[in-house]
Every structure is written in structure tokens, then in C-alpha cells.
Amino acid sequence: MLDVRNPRIELLESASQPSIRLKLLDLEGVLELARSIEKSNGLFYGERIITVIESGKSIVLEGNRRVAACQMLLTPSLVPQQYRLRFPVASAATKLRIKRISADVAPDRVSAEPILTKRHTEQGAKPWSPVAKMRRAVRLLNSLSVDEVAQVLGTSPAQVRKLVRPYKLLRYAFGITAWNEDERQILENEKLKTNPYTRFFTLAKTLEVLQARFDDDQNIISALPANVFREQIEKIARDFLIPDAMRGRPRCDTRTDPVSYFSDFVNSPAGKIAAAEALLVKQNGYEKKGEKTAVVTSEAETKGNRDPAKISNEKNESENLGNKKNSSPKGPKASIFFEHLECHVIDNNLIKLTLELCKINHEKMPIAASLLTRSVFECALVHKIKAMDKWNDLITAEGKDPGLTALIKFCAKFTNGVFAEQNICKTLQSHTTMEAKNYLDAMTHLKYQEADSSTLESVANNLRQVIKYILDGN
């Protein structure tokens, strides 16, 4: 029997079992839970419910949502009318696994209270760090396919691959022997902030200077001499992962520009040689094979008979490559909407929304662009609150998820600890942020005003920095 005293929902002592199931469906996500149970062909191992015997009946104290979902999967007639078209149909395998489930029977309610309190008001199992999540995915890939790992982790194959590459980059850095004991402890700390380091390798200029690419197994390989490449990786890891003694944080972060960062290397002898070789690859058909360079000559240039003057010109051009600057460089255009927005946090919803938002033409599709903007803004705030382990502080007494206004107000209060930068909080407190929110709300419900691309651009200007700050992993 489902518990009429379930603290998740407000019930009368006389509440019927059907009314309890309906409230759990309306307020506690039991529909999504039932879909998950069906997708997994049953409950996860180790998830035991807790019951108590009262008046000869077995009452569920812990696991009401799971039990309600299983009841309706086993007996579809129990599903309330308004949910029947959406409720999943259980397979024979699922029904077999949920027909009988394990339970711990408490002697009475009072005896069960300590464990219920611990489960629902204190942190349970210690969450995995980002590095632990990466490590887990890579280890699973040793015995499972990408598709199978995606199913185990409840994500997409693309997201599994995105976990592998950053971990391989970290493993490369960890494997360098230059670290002293203190530095290695920092690198092996589960709280290590890895996003700035791994993100740096997503930038085209970084890979260009390092003459690097990723092979089919997501290992980074470079055409630079092995020792030069290793030195550069060590320097990047030191600058992006190891806190500076004076500043208390790494010297570089997600805002570091590769052009500025590599300026010393590009102008160094090793950098000039690397640039020269890269130029020769383009001009004369050089091919890199491991750490050796093979020359592909034309019929007119046999080995040992190349024109000395041409060799001299190539050398001069190569040596000057690092110092050359375009007289009129063309930098990227500033964002009018969200053209350059990128997501660098592991969040499936944010990744998908960001991809759509940066590609949409807000002038031709202002309504859709408004809806996407609002979704990205709201999902970014939710992601940040949960990342800072503040979500339970925000949930309302009724157990309902907060609206966008509540999210903004909660994040804007510096003492709530969502943002470490007071300027972000001040931005969220400003009237322009609320005006932007109100406009997006109006577009969501198509009330009071028409969609307008110029107003949408103003909204983007008001929200862009906060959204980008979160998506950069800060």
C-alpha cells in the first residue's frame, strides 16, 4: 500500500490509493520514472524499498514513487485516464523483474525515521567528480561498445565520445614525469577543475600551433618533435591546472587566447622550426610519419639535386613565419545574437540547446529564437545551481520546481553561493535582466507584443555574458 503520510505530497488520512498515484504522477515525476524502469527492464539492483506493517497491511515508507510506477506498469488499468496515452507499456521482461521486489521491513515508523532522514535530507552517495565520470566511461569502453556504454550511462554515444577525449588529454598530462609530489597531489585531487585545460584543446588555433589532431581512439598526436610537443603539453597543464602560488588559482582560464598564449613559442627557435616544417608540408608535399619527415619530390627534383637558391628562399621564409603579421588581419565578428556561443559543460540539454541557438536565424525566426534563448538561460541557471549543490535550498515547500523568476532571484543573491563573482549577481539583479526575462515570457505565451528581432538582439546582449560564463564551466 502507498503511504497516505508520504511527506512528498499533501494528503488526507482518508486518501485513496488511486488519488495517491495521481498526485505522484502530477507532482513527483512518476511518469518519467516508469519510462526509466521500462527502458532498464526493471529496477536497478540494490534499490530496496522500506515498509512497515500497520493494521495487517504492508505500507511503503521509502520507495512510494517506485512502487506506484511498478503497480501501474504491472496493471495498466490503475493508470489514471489522463495519463494512459503517455504511460509506457511494460514488456514481459520488465513485468517479470518487478512483480516481486525486495523490501526491508521496519518494526515501526519511528525506527525507520533515521534512515529516511539520512536519505532525503542529507547527501547520500558521494557524487562522482567530472574526472571520475570520464574515467568510468573510458573503463567501460574497454569491454563495451560506445552504444552500450551510452545505454549504461543513460546518455548518447556522442556524449560518451565527448567524455573520452578530455580524459585522454588529462591522462597525457598526468603521465608527464616533470611533476613534483605537491603538484601531483593537485593533479590527482578529485576537485581539480579540468574544464579550462581540456577546453583549450577544442580551439582550432591551439591544434594548429601544436600541429596536433586526435586519432580514432581520441588520443592526441602531433607532428611536432616528441620532446617539443611534450614540453608544450607540460606548460599548458601547468598554466591551466596548477594554481599559482601568489594568485591561488591557475595562471590561465577559459578566457585565455591561444594566439597570445603561444606567442613566445611561435617566436622561439623550436617554434620557428615547427612553423617552417608546417610550411614545407603545405608547399612541397612533406608527410609526417611518426617523428620522422619523409619528402615527396617531384620528377624534376630528385634527391640531392634541389635548387640551392630555392632551399635558401624556403629557409628564409620559414624563419620569418613566426614574426609575420598580416597587415590587415580579419578577426571574428562580434556576436549580434548567439552566433559564437559554445557549451563546455557536460549537460545533454544544454549542449543540444546551445547547438540550436547558435545556428538559428533570429531575424527570420524570432519566435523560435526567443523560445530557445529562454530555454538556454533557464537550463544554464539550473545547471549552475545543481553544480554548486544548491538545488535543495531552492525547492519550494510543495516540492515543485521553481520558475525562471525564482531561479534568477536565487542566483542573484551572492550569499546563496551560486556565483563566486559578485558582478554576475549584480547583472542578474539589474532591471535589464528582468526586462529581458519578461520579453521572453511574452514570446513564450505570445502575449501583448509581436516578436521583434531588434528587441531580441537587445535581450541577447543583456543575457549573453551570464550564459557564456556558465557554459564556459566557470
Side-chain angles (χ1 to χ4, degrees), residues 147-260:
D147 290 338
E148 290 170 332
V149 172
Q151 186 173 3
V152 169
L153 300 182
T155 186
S156 66
Q159 292 310 309
V160 171
R161 294 187 185 96
K162 286 185 178 180
L163 288 172
V164 175
R165 180 175 293 186
Y167 182 64
K168 293 289 184 77
L169 284 168
L170 288 167
R171 283 290 301 273
Y172 190 104
F174 295 168
I176 294 172
T177 59
W179 312 116
N180 61 39
E181 186 176 347
D182 291 338
E183 291 169 338
R184 188 160 292 283
Q185 284 186 357
I186 291 171
L187 293 173
E188 293 177 356
N189 191 319
E190 65 170 19
K191 295 182 180 179
L192 178 69
K193 189 175 181 181
T194 61
N195 178 257
Y197 169 78
T198 56
R199 177 185 179 276
F200 195 61
F201 291 91
T202 67
L203 306 178
K205 191 64 180 179
T206 300
L207 299 180
E208 178 185 332
V209 173
L210 295 176
Q211 298 182 40
R213 63 180 179 85
F214 294 89
D215 64 16
D216 293 340
D217 293 324
Q218 302 302 308
N219 296 301
I220 190 168
I221 54 178
S222 171
L224 292 175
N227 63 318
V228 174
F229 180 62
R230 188 165 49 250
E231 288 171 0
Q232 288 304 304
I233 296 291
E234 179 192 338
K235 182 178 183 300
I236 295 169
R238 191 176 298 280
D239 289 339
F240 282 81
L241 295 173
I242 305 293
D244 179 83
M246 297 294 291
R247 291 154 45 98
R249 62 179 185 273
R251 190 174 71 84
C252 298
D253 55 29
T254 54
R255 292 182 289 272
T256 300
D257 173 42
V259 176
S260 301

Side-chain angles (χ1 to χ4, degrees), residues 270-290:
K272 289 180 178 179
I273 292 172
E277 290 189 351
L279 179 66
L280 291 175
V281 168
K282 292 180 180 179
Q283 290 184 340
N284 300 308
Y286 276 52
E287 294 179 351
K288 281 290 185 178
K289 295 182 179 179

